[in-house]
Amino acid sequence: MRAAVVNTFGGPEAVEVVETERPEPGPSQVRIKVAAAALNPVDAGVRAGFFGGAGKRIGLGWDVAGTVAAAGLATAWSVGDEVVALDPGIVRPLGSHAEYVVVEADAVATAPATVDAVHAATLPLNGLTAAQALDLLELTPGQSLLVTGAAGAVGGFAVQLAAHRGISVTALAREADEELVRSLGAAHFTAGAVGAGSHDAVLDAAVLGEPALEWVRDGGGYVGVRPGGEPVPVRGVRTASVAVTADGARLAELAGLVDEGVLTLRVAETFALDDAAKAHARLAVGGVRGRLVLIP
């Protein structure tokens, strides 16, 4: 099969599409024939060597939508099931940017029925990150949440999920994105002016760090999306960061919310797998609203 990998770290030109052996699933795993796989900033970080692994072949890709092609005896999945999954990992020989990927069976969920595979592939990583970040904040209906980077992939899901839970959401984004984030459910919008201590919590999808703590009330909560990168607590504000984990049951819930119209899946552009380096180059330019998606 073909797969996108890096053998040496660098810019988009470091991405290679190679021929490699098709992976075999173990007893508790499934092999998915990839229909679509999203490209995320973490892939650019892996490509550039931010996470180590020098001297190794490293596969790319965490998101996948496709069809079960083989299933281990200890799984409940069947060949032909249309699924989505999160395949997390920083330094491993293969990722989801390939024609086939093997994942743990409990990381898999039935794909949303109301969207195509290209859109479904944008859900797992960013949807689970937003959901698990909100879990850490433990907000209740009526409380207030500021989402930074609200027009991005994680931020957009966070706005929709929080609003669905009855939380009053303020979106921090560029002025040009006001209409977008309001359409996602933000009750309030700001392009920069935020009152000190004005919110019960901040979900910091823009990775602003310490400055964002000023906007949280005493005893409130802060969650960032860079694992281990949360600021030191002040004024009794709880700080944490989300390290996303695969969770098929939770992913199934998110897929259900897609079918209910609660979650919006945004695709910016598609690329053939053979053009993976071009997709990385587009990501590097920035300003993407929605995800770039690779199609084998």
Side-chain angles (χ1 to χ4, degrees), residues 20 26 50 61 82 89 97 108 111 114 128 145 151 170 194 199 226 254:
T20 188
F50 292 157
E82 294 185 0
H97 294 172
V108 180
T114 55
L128 285 171
L145 172 68
T170 298
V194 183
H199 292 81
R226 180 175 292 170
L254 296 176

Side-chain angles (χ1 to χ4, degrees), residues 4-10 14 16 18 46-47 49 51-60 90-94:
V5 303
V6 290
N7 288 298
T8 57
F9 298 135
E16 304 176 44
V18 301
V46 171
R47 183 204 73 221
F51 304 105
K56 300 179 180 179
R57 185 186 80 176
I58 303 175
L60 301 168
I90 296 296
V91 180
R92 68 273 174 73
L94 293 171

Side-chain angles (χ1 to χ4, degrees), residues 23-58:
E24 295 296 330
S28 63
Q29 297 177 317
V30 299
R31 182 171 65 220
I32 299 171
K33 180 176 175 59
V34 179
L39 173 65
N40 290 282
V42 66
D43 297 306
V46 171
R47 183 204 73 221
F50 292 157
F51 304 105
K56 300 179 180 179
R57 185 186 80 176
I58 303 175

Side-chain angles (χ1 to χ4, degrees), residues 90-162:
I90 296 296
V91 180
R92 68 273 174 73
L94 293 171
S96 65
H97 294 172
E99 292 181 302
Y100 292 89
V101 63
V102 166
V103 299
E104 296 298 322
D106 60 6
V108 180
T110 299
T114 55
V115 298
D116 59 20
V118 171
H119 285 79
T122 68
L123 177 64
L125 174 59
N126 296 293
L128 285 171
T129 298
Q132 292 171 9
L134 286 171
D135 290 346
L136 291 172
L137 288 172
E138 299 180 332
L139 294 173
T140 56
Q143 289 192 286
S144 59
L145 172 68
L146 175 69
V147 177
T148 74
V154 172
F157 283 134
V159 169
Q160 291 188 303
L161 288 170

Side-chain angles (χ1 to χ4, degrees), residues 13 40 48 75 84 94 100 104 109 112 117 133 141 158 165 205 262 265 267 270:
E13 71 284 350
N40 290 282
T75 78
V84 288
L94 293 171
Y100 292 89
E104 296 298 322
R165 298 180 186 183
V262 173
L265 304 181
V267 174
T270 60

Side-chain angles (χ1 to χ4, degrees), residues 209-224:
E210 186 175 347
L213 288 182
E214 297 180 10
W215 306 326
V216 184
R217 65 167 175 79
D218 294 357
Y222 167 102
V223 168

